[in-house]
Amino acid sequence: MTCTDIVKNKNGEIVELRGTYDPATRGGDSPDGRRVKATLHWVSAAHAIPAEVRLYDRLFSVEDPERAPEGKTFLDNMNPHSLEVLHACQVEPSLASAAPGTSVQFERLGYFCVDLDSRPGALVFNRTVSLRDTWAKIEQKQLRADS
């Protein structure tokens, strides 16, 4: 898809993308030699199925958890954000029968594995590897430029 127009609401939030779809570029290849920068994937809200997604981060907030301040222990260096559980996620219907241990990639988020707690109608995915966040880098550059 080539984005041709971005529609925003009165608050400046993006509410619609208008573009063109070229099936010849599916998968990032182009028969005429054009360079495809990215492939867009989406899940139809009408057909999506609910899932719980668990995002893991570092267990400790410092490199050496044993180096705790006087009177504290390594437990005081635990990262309170080491697990974030997202309950209202939507995934594509093909994952409805995914068995525990199955690995999948969620675009722009990383690689996920179906958890042992997962069952039909109550899917659970654990992030195993995150992807580099290009958008976060762009946002950081913009913040620095605005400062």
Side-chain angles (χ1 to χ4, degrees):
M1 181 175 122
T2 301
C3 188
T4 57
D5 196 15
I6 298 173
V7 180
K8 298 181 181 183
N9 65 16
K10 63 181 180 182
N11 298 322
E13 299 165 331
I14 297 173
V15 295
E16 183 180 346
L17 295 177
R18 296 180 184 160
T20 58
Y21 168 63
D22 181 354
T25 61
R26 182 177 174 175
D29 295 321
S30 173
D32 62 4
R34 285 177 290 153
R35 184 171 177 265
V36 178
K37 294 181 182 178
T39 302
L40 178 68
H41 297 267
W42 62 279
V43 176
S44 164
H47 300 98
I49 57 175
E52 176 180 296
V53 174
R54 298 172 182 168
L55 305 175
Y56 294 92
D57 197 356
R58 291 177 290 278
L59 183 58
F60 295 100
S61 57
V62 296
E63 186 175 341
D64 182 2
E66 290 292 335
R67 297 190 70 193
E70 186 69 36
K72 306 273 185 173
T73 70
F74 75 98
L75 295 174
D76 293 299
N77 287 324
M78 292 192 72
N79 178 2
H81 306 290
S82 64
L83 172 61
E84 180 181 1
V85 180
L86 308 175
H87 296 283
C89 299
Q90 299 289 309
V91 298
E92 62 182 64
S94 66
L95 296 174
S97 59
T102 302
S103 293
V104 296
Q105 180 184 1
F106 292 163
E107 285 297 313
R108 297 191 151 330
L109 297 175
Y111 292 91
F112 292 76
C113 183
V114 180
D115 191 90
L116 295 173
D117 292 342
S118 200
R119 60 188 189 284
L123 296 172
V124 179
F125 293 90
N126 297 319
R127 182 169 59 189
T128 55
V129 177
S130 62
L131 298 177
R132 287 186 290 178
D133 190 348
T134 303
W135 293 110
K137 289 180 185 176
I138 292 169
E139 190 174 74
Q140 284 291 3
K141 278 186 183 178
Q142 185 62 43
L143 287 174
R144 278 187 242 129
D146 292 345
S147 300

